[in-house]
Amino acid sequence: MSGTHGREPIVVGVNPDASKRLALAWAADQGERHGLPVWLVHAQKVPTGG
């Protein structure tokens, strides 16, 4: 997948836990420094029936 102008985006997983935000902060900083888009990914379990 190509980002803006054929450059690869920074893709980072996010977690709602505040103590897990270091990766998000790093990705945002790198995106700003290098002019790259940052794509956030959040996965959620699908409830399963018993």
Side-chain angles (χ1 to χ4, degrees):
M1 289 184 258
S2 291
T4 305
H5 305 293
R7 298 176 70 192
E8 297 297 321
I10 296 172
V11 180
V12 62
V14 293
N15 186 318
D17 184 345
S19 68
K20 309 280 195 247
R21 293 196 183 142
L22 183 58
L24 178 57
W26 175 87
D29 182 59
Q30 291 299 306
E32 178 70 23
R33 286 179 186 220
H34 300 286
L36 296 172
V38 177
W39 293 358
L40 307 180
V41 177
H42 178 262
Q44 184 172 334
K45 281 201 256 182
V46 177
T48 56

